[in-house]
Amino acid sequence: MLAQNIVVAASVLAADFLKLGEEVAAVTAAGADWLHVDVMDNHYVPNLSFGLPVCSALARASTLPLDVHLMTERVETLIEPFAAIGAARITFHPDTTAHADRMIQAIRVTGMEVGVALNPAMPLAWIEELIAQVDLVLLMTVNPGFGGQQFIPSVLTKIAALRAQIDTTDRPVRLQVDGGINAESAQQCRQAGADTLVAGNAIFSSSDYAATIRALRSS
Ligand code: DX5
Ligand code: ZN
């Protein structure tokens, strides 16, 4: 089993957009490991969030790796632009394309890391052939599209099953969870085998970002 340090990724979607720069500085000082950006296109998910101009500004303002979560169709058109702004990783949803393998290769060739994301209703079969090629698998613990939703506990079984699959590979694939993550659900996810925690409202709606991040990290 590959022991991996716990990563806490702060999801900017829950930040105060009127003072994004300050929020990024605050969450960085508070000890977040990654800045998670949720790009939504109002096609794949029923919401619009922000796109390249905002992500580019965030990348310039931040010393944290930009963890790009694309909830969009036509991912192939976004790979080069996100590489150009210095994103660390693109995670996409394989059900947006007939050619997930090609997409992984296209992301990889830019030097960025690659993640694949599964919605709560999607079985692990979607990514079994891809695990050997990716750096991260994201198991959505809410239906994608909105922050501030309730954690879906039935995903815990899938987390445990994916943990077992990852542990049979000899590559350090991260197991990320995203949606409704707070100290309590983080602990359940950690016990099931997750090592990378995305948190939006839990961090940005708290009065002490550092204490919240510490609580998540030690969950
Ligand atoms: C949901 C997004 C999440 C969202 C999480 O579609 O992928 O990253 O920001 O927000 P919280 O932590 O508030 O559930
Ligand atoms: Zn996300």
Side-chain angles (χ1 to χ4, degrees):
M1 173 167 175
L2 286 157
Q4 294 223 56
N5 58 323
I6 302 305
V7 161
V8 177
S11 178
V12 171
L13 191 64
D16 182 344
F17 289 175
L18 280 180
K19 44 177 190 173
L20 263 188
E22 288 167 47
E23 290 277 70
V24 168
V27 89
T28 305
D33 299 298
W34 297 352
L35 215 53
H36 181 88
V37 289
D38 290 303
V39 178
M40 304 179 184
D41 67 354
N42 199 31
H43 291 273
Y44 180 63
V45 290
N47 196 11
L48 269 175
S49 56
F50 43 74
L52 268 162
V54 171
C55 290
S56 172
L58 288 167
R60 284 197 306 275
S62 175
T63 54
L64 300 180
L66 205 63
D67 182 39
V68 179
H69 179 191
L70 293 184
M71 283 158 277
T72 73
E73 296 172 359
R74 303 183 68 225
V75 169
E76 64 279 4
T77 64
L78 295 171
I79 296 172
E80 277 303 327
F82 273 100
I85 67 164
R89 171 186 316 94
I90 284 182
T91 297
F92 70 97
H93 288 249
D95 47 325
T96 61
T97 174
H99 302 288
D101 182 276
R102 178 180 293 153
M103 202 75 83
I104 289 169
Q105 293 180 42
I107 296 168
R108 175 80 65 211
V109 91
T110 66
M112 290 185 288
E113 291 191 2
V114 190
V116 283
L118 293 187
N119 297 330
M122 293 169 65
L124 290 178
W126 272 93
I127 48 105
E128 270 163 15
E129 302 300 325
L130 307 175
I131 289 181
Q133 302 170 57
V134 297
D135 302 290
L136 176 149
V137 178
L138 164 54
L139 295 185
M140 292 301 304
T141 42
V142 298
N143 287 297
F146 302 92
Q149 300 180 79
Q150 276 241 305
F151 176 76
I152 300 174
S154 60
V155 182
L156 289 167
T157 317
K158 190 161 59 171
I159 296 171
L162 177 58
R163 178 79 264 158
Q165 285 188 26
I166 289 175
D167 286 348
T168 64
T169 72
D170 55 1
R171 295 183 50 253
V173 180
R174 286 204 162 272
L175 200 170
Q176 186 177 53
V177 287
D178 182 9
I181 299 298
N182 54 31
E184 189 193 348
S185 53
Q187 186 175 33
Q188 295 174 292
C189 291
R190 288 276 303 123
Q191 279 167 1
D195 54 34
T196 306
L197 308 167
V198 177
N201 279 278
I203 295 173
F204 288 103
S205 300
S206 73
S207 55
D208 185 339
Y209 295 179
T212 305
I213 290 168
R214 269 198 307 277
L216 288 167
R217 198 185 297 288
S218 60
S219 61

